[in-house]
Amino acid sequence: MRAWSELFRVSALFSVPGDALAGAAAVGRGPGRGTAFAVGASLCLYEAGMALNDWADREEDAVDRPHRPIPSGRVSPAAALGAAGVLTAAGLALAARAGRPALAVATGLAATVWAYDLRLKHTKAGPAAMAAARSLDLLLGATAATARGAGDNVAAPAGSVRDALPAALVLGAHTYGVTAVSRHEAQGGSTAVPLAVLATTAALGTAVLTAGRAARTQGPRAHRPTRPHHLTPADLLLTAFTGAYLRTAGPPLLHAALNPSPPLTQRAVGGGIRAMIPLQAALAARNGAPGSGLAVMALVPLARSLARKVSPT
């Protein structure tokens, strides 16, 4: 169990459900049957990527990370590859339950995951591929939520999947930065990359915060009465979630920039992964779903606790 937990990096798993919830919020939907299928599909495809990642890196890990499950002999390469295949099939099957459009998005997501692990990871296109995967994961949630018969509890007509593109791009930009930093976690030595990602993180936080009120008055929930000149509870939650995002991602990046050693670089990567949770919560709150944001934020203590036992990187 310990070996498979390390292979799957289970502490990072808590950064996944918020993708679907933020996607549903972006199209004016609350969590429902379609969202549940999207979450299940996302979890399966995420873990498939983790298993495939270690299978593809088994020779490199034998030199740089001999303690990892495959080079240490605790998990066989065949078992890891088999797990990746089974989990991919399970993820696509769950997405299919949410409708053909959701299956189409999930197929693109699965293809991106496999292409990243097997071909693109060590190329210049690696960070962009990982960013695309996260963006597609959020769009999977949006697509599943708008599918006919999704069964979502909604008091207003759903928007189109295009309404979820801004949130998908924000999450993708954050993922791009985390992936760029992770390329140096084994050897360290990069100061410019953590600094650039720190600036990007600040810009993303500012964009989410300042665009929140406009999104609530122009998005699929725009028909609801608003009072833009007053600070609402939703505004307070959005501020709190955005602040949590900046506090989680920012300090580790600054430390890695000041001292680009492998341990501090790995902490910056771990902080970036955990920061996805408050970012997802902020995106949900920005689009008028503070309840979904609170549900996502409830995963933070679980992710923090498990990260002390199993590294997310």
Side-chain angles (χ1 to χ4, degrees):
M1 289 295 295
R2 174 75 184 186
W4 283 99
S5 296
E6 292 178 9
L7 183 78
F8 288 135
R9 297 169 178 83
V10 292
S11 61
L13 200 59
F14 296 101
S15 71
V16 177
D19 289 347
L21 291 173
V27 294
R29 292 280 193 172
R33 182 172 176 267
T35 308
F37 283 130
V39 170
S42 296
L43 291 172
C44 288
L45 294 176
Y46 187 85
E47 292 293 46
M50 291 297 182
L52 185 63
N53 175 81
D54 275 26
W55 179 84
D57 283 354
R58 61 193 185 279
E59 295 181 0
E60 177 184 330
D61 285 346
V63 177
D64 295 332
R65 306 176 187 89
H67 61 281
R68 293 293 300 159
I70 293 179
S72 66
R74 292 176 293 152
V75 175
S76 71
L81 182 60
V86 169
L87 286 167
T88 299
L92 294 177
L94 287 169
R97 296 293 302 276
R100 290 184 179 179
L103 175 60
V105 176
T107 300
L109 172 58
T112 303
V113 169
W114 281 72
Y116 172 81
D117 284 333
L118 298 181
R119 175 68 64 178
L120 301 176
K121 182 191 311 182
H122 299 297
T123 70
K124 292 182 179 180
M130 186 62 77
R134 272 289 175 172
S135 295
L136 285 170
D137 201 34
L138 189 145
L139 293 176
L140 173 60
T143 305
T146 57
R148 179 177 299 178
D152 292 285
N153 180 19
V154 59
S160 70
V161 175
R162 287 180 296 180
D163 293 324
L165 287 177
L169 291 174
V170 167
L171 192 59
H174 173 79
T175 304
Y176 186 102
V178 174
T179 308
V181 175
S182 72
R183 293 160 76 91
H184 303 277
E185 65 179 335
Q187 291 83 23
S190 174
T191 295
V193 173
L195 277 177
V197 176
L198 179 61
T200 301
T201 298
L204 290 175
T206 301
V208 171
L209 190 60
T210 57
R213 198 167 296 171
R216 286 194 295 277
T217 58
Q218 297 175 9
R221 299 168 184 258
H223 68 288
R224 297 184 177 182
T226 58
R227 296 190 301 170
H229 55 284
H230 289 296
L231 195 63
T232 66
D235 293 324
L236 296 176
L237 281 177
L238 175 61
T239 302
F241 296 158
T242 305
Y245 164 64
L246 295 173
R247 289 194 305 272
T248 304
L253 285 169
L254 179 59
H255 295 160
L258 295 175
N259 180 11
S261 62
L264 291 182
T265 303
Q266 291 166 14
R267 289 183 187 179
V269 176
I273 294 173
R274 291 192 301 274
M276 290 181 184
I277 300 176
L279 179 58
Q280 294 157 347
L283 291 172
R286 185 184 78 167
N287 286 294
S292 293
L294 288 170
V296 173
M297 285 299 293
L299 300 174
V300 170
L302 298 174
R304 184 183 297 116
S305 176
L306 197 54
R308 298 189 184 102
K309 301 178 180 179
V310 181
S311 173
T313 71

